[in-house]
Amino acid sequence: IPRAVPQALLEGFAWDRAGRRYETLADLTAYAARVAGTVGAMMALLMDERRPEVLARACDLGVAMQFSNIARDVGEDARAGRLYLPQEWMREAGLDPAAWLAAPVFDARLAGVVRRLLGRAEALYHRSESGIARLPLSCRPGIGAARWIYAEIGHEVARQGFDSVSRRAVVS
């Protein structure tokens, strides 16, 4: 595993510790690439997969999973003083990120932001499938199951009306 990959993961952890917030989807994606895309890349490398297009799809899967986690944990994160949703999207929806973080409540505006993030996750899950199909045959079931289970977290958030503030989506 190239040293830069775990270093990027550690950098993402440092961003968490610093309480960093993310203005745009690109900013959030940079974070997710560090804390989750790197995990996808390291797993693919441990499976002896080195083709760039497969590694890229492994990173996509990691980012999609992180977006699902973020969408599921909006309320929990807010109560801990953390905000991962793109602040630009919140303002576009008519929410002031700092004011919302001070008093996190669910409403239709926030639902729209969560829906957008899960839509982006779904696109990445879909894109990751071509990489999963290229993994060693013995690895595909486990990675495929992880893909579907994490996507189901987002589907459960959607079934709950995108309310991840007053409740937590759980899948079996």
Side-chain angles (χ1 to χ4, degrees):
I1 296 175
R3 178 171 280 163
V5 179
Q7 284 177 337
L9 176 63
L10 293 173
E11 182 179 28
F13 291 161
W15 289 9
D16 267 334
R17 188 165 188 195
R20 188 177 251 192
R21 303 229 172 98
Y22 305 96
E23 179 61 26
T24 66
L25 178 62
D27 297 335
L28 181 62
T29 301
Y31 163 74
R34 283 166 175 77
V35 298
T38 55
V39 175
M42 287 188 282
M43 289 182 68
L45 290 166
L46 290 172
M47 294 174 210
D48 285 329
E49 182 53 64
R50 300 217 164 359
R51 290 174 286 180
E53 65 275 13
V54 178
L55 290 171
R57 299 300 70 84
C59 291
D60 287 340
L61 180 57
V63 170
M65 292 171 144
Q66 186 65 32
F67 285 175
S68 292
N69 283 343
I70 290 167
R72 178 197 62 205
D73 297 340
V74 171
E76 181 180 324
D77 286 335
R79 287 184 288 278
R82 297 184 304 259
L83 179 62
Y84 292 97
L85 296 173
Q87 293 183 74
E88 175 182 71
W89 288 6
M90 292 181 78
R91 282 191 293 280
E92 288 171 2
L95 294 164
D96 175 272
W100 183 85
L101 188 58
V105 295
F106 176 75
D107 65 18
R109 298 171 300 171
L110 188 70
V113 174
V114 173
R115 181 184 299 117
R116 276 180 86 177
L117 185 60
L118 288 172
R120 186 62 189 130
E122 280 297 320
L124 290 169
Y125 283 125
H126 180 68
R127 197 161 76 180
S128 75
E129 292 172 2
S130 66
I132 295 170
R134 292 179 178 152
L135 291 173
L137 187 58
S138 64
C139 300
R140 292 178 201 167
I143 301 302
R147 176 257 185 263
W148 289 103
I149 290 166
Y150 268 79
E152 187 60 23
I153 291 169
H155 300 157
E156 184 61 24
V157 170
R159 281 190 289 273
Q160 294 177 358
F162 301 97
D163 180 2
S164 56
V165 175
S166 61
R167 58 183 130 180
R168 181 180 171 92
V170 177
V171 298
S172 63

